[in-house]
C-alpha cells in the first residue's frame, strides 16, 4: 500500500495506546474502600441487622453493611468476591485484567475497550485493502489461471488472516463498547443493571447525557483511600490503612457519596 510507513506508524501508536490503557486498568486502584478491622463481632452483627438510609437528590437509598470489610458501604459500592474488597462505584470484575473496574479505573477500562475497537477496525481496513489490491491484480493478470482468489491468498496470506481475525474480534468487542457507551450516557453501572437497582425508581445519579459523560470519563480522579503500604500490611496480618489527607471517608466505616 502507498504510504506504508505512515500506515505502520498509526498502527503502532494505536497498539501502544491499547497496551497502555490495559496496564492502567489492571494496575490502578479501582476505588477500594479500606476495611475496619477493629469493629468487633458483636458490633458487626448488630450493624448487619440495622438499617441506614441516605438521600441522594431526593431519592432515598439504603446503605448496606459489609460483614467482610466491616463498613457501611456508600451508595453504588459493592463487595467483589474475586478480590475480596469493597469498591466504590463498582462496575464489574474484569477476568481479562484480573482487576475490579470501579470509580478510579473505569475511564481506563472504557478507553481500553474503545482503543481495542479502533485498533481492530484500523487493522481490518488496512488488511482488507491490501488483500483486495492483490485480488485486483490477480483478476487483471491473464496468466494467473482460474483461481484468482487463491492466487491473491498465496500472495497476501497475512492480510487475509488479519482481516478475518480482526472482524471476529470486532464482533465480540463492539457490542461491549456499545453497552458501556449506553451505561456512561445514563451514569449507570453493570452491577446496577444486573441487580436492577434502579428498575423501579429513578436513578438519582443520572443528569443528562453530556453531564454524565463528563462526570464518568473526564472529572478529576479522587485520591486513593489506601496508603501504598496498605496491601502489604494486610498480607502480614495488619489492617488496611485509611489515608488522612482527605482521600478517605470518615473513620473505618464512614459514608461518602460517590457520584
Amino acid at each position: 500500500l502507498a504510504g506504508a510507513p505512515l500506515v505502520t506508524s498509526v498502527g503502532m501508536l494505536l497498539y501502544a495506546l491499547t497496551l497502555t490503557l490495559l496496564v492502567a486498568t489492571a494496575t490502578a486502584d479501582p476505588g477500594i474502600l479500606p476495611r475496619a478491622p477493629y469493629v468487633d463481632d458483636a458490633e458487626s452483627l448488630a450493624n448487619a441487622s440495622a438499617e441506614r438510609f441516605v438521600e441522594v437528590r431526593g431519592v432515598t437509598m439504603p446503605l448496606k453493611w459489609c460483614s467482610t470489610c466491616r463498613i457501611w458501604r456508600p451508595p453504588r459500592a459493592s463487595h467483589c468476591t474475586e478480590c475480596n474488597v469493597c469498591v466504590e462505584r463498582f462496575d464489574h470484575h474484569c477476568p481479562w485484567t484480573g482487576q475490579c473496574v470501579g470509580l478510579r479505573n473505569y475511564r481506563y477500562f472504557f478507553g481500553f475497550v474503545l482503543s481495542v475497537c479502533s485498533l481492530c477496525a484500523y487493522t481490518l481496513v488496512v488488511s482488507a485493502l491490501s488483500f483486495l489490491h492483490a485480488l485486483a491484480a490477480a483478476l487483471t493478470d491473464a496468466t494467473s489461471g482460474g483461481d484468482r482468489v487463491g492466487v491473491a491468498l498465496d500472495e497476501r496470506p497475512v492480510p487475509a488472516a488479519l482481516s478475518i481475525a480482526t472482524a471476529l474480534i470486532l464482533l465480540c468487542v463492539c457490542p461491549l463498547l456499545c453497552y458501556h457507551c449506553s451505561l456512561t450516557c445514563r451514569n449507570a453501572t453493570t452491577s446496577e443493571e444486573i441487580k436492577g437497582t434502579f428498575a423501579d425508581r429513578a436513578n438519582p445519579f443520572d443528569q443528562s447525557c453530556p453531564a454524565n459523560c463528563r462526570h464518568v470519563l473526564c472529572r478529576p480522579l479522587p485520591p486513593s483511600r489506601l496508603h501504598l503500604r496498605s496491601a502489604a500490611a494486610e498480607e502480614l496480618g495488619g489492617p488496611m490503612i485509611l489515608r488522612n489527607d482527605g482521600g478517605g471517608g470518615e473513620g473505618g466505616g464512614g459514608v461518602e457519596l460517590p457520584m
Side-chain angles (χ1 to χ4, degrees):
L1 290 178
L6 177 61
V7 170
T8 303
S9 298
V10 173
M12 292 299 294
L13 285 175
L14 284 173
Y15 176 78
L17 176 63
T18 302
L19 188 60
T20 300
L21 290 169
L22 172 62
V23 172
T25 304
T27 57
D29 170 20
I32 296 174
L33 294 167
R35 299 183 180 185
Y38 301 115
V39 175
D40 58 32
D41 293 340
E43 184 179 352
S44 179
L45 188 61
N47 286 334
S49 58
E51 292 184 343
R52 284 190 184 182
F53 299 90
V54 66
E55 188 172 297
V56 182
R57 293 197 178 96
V59 178
T60 300
M61 301 187 65
L63 299 180
K64 295 184 178 180
W65 174 258
C66 179
S67 298
T68 302
C69 298
R70 301 196 173 189
I71 59 171
W72 285 99
R73 293 200 297 259
R76 317 197 85 179
S78 186
H79 188 88
C80 175
T81 55
E82 296 290 333
C83 298
N84 199 31
V85 292
C86 284
V87 177
E88 289 185 275
R89 200 184 182 277
F90 178 78
D91 190 86
H92 69 285
H93 180 87
C94 179
W96 310 112
T97 61
Q99 173 71 297
C100 294
V101 176
L103 176 67
R104 298 189 71 257
N105 68 343
Y106 180 81
R107 66 186 60 186
Y108 302 139
F109 172 78
F110 185 92
F112 168 64
V113 176
L114 177 61
S115 65
V116 168
C117 288
S118 301
L119 178 60
C120 288
Y122 181 79
T123 305
L124 173 60
V125 170
V126 172
S127 300
L129 288 176
S130 177
F131 176 74
L132 290 175
H133 184 269
L135 180 61
L139 291 174
T140 57
D141 186 3
T143 63
S144 60
D147 188 8
R148 309 296 173 86
V149 176
V151 172
L153 286 173
D154 288 339
E155 185 177 346
R156 302 284 172 85
V158 174
L162 284 176
S163 299
I164 296 173
T166 51
L168 292 176
I169 295 174
L170 279 173
L171 286 175
C172 298
V173 182
C174 270
L176 179 63
L177 176 62
C178 292
Y179 176 69
H180 279 279
C181 284
S182 172
L183 292 178
T184 299
C185 290
R186 293 180 288 116
N187 200 347
T189 67
T190 302
S191 177
E192 291 168 349
E193 292 287 295
I194 293 175
K195 296 177 180 177
T197 304
F198 301 114
D200 56 350
R201 56 181 169 174
N203 180 359
F205 304 100
D206 185 7
Q207 301 176 57
S208 66
C209 181
N212 291 336
C213 292
R214 286 195 302 269
H215 184 83
V216 174
L217 301 177
C218 301
R219 71 168 177 168
L221 283 177
S224 173
R225 292 173 177 260
L226 301 176
H227 280 298
L228 294 177
R229 298 179 182 178
S230 176
E234 188 184 31
E235 286 185 6
L236 295 173
M240 278 192 173
I241 307 167
L242 265 174
R243 294 174 59 100
N244 57 9
D245 56 359
E250 301 173 1
V255 173
E256 189 172 304
L257 297 181
M259 302 303 285

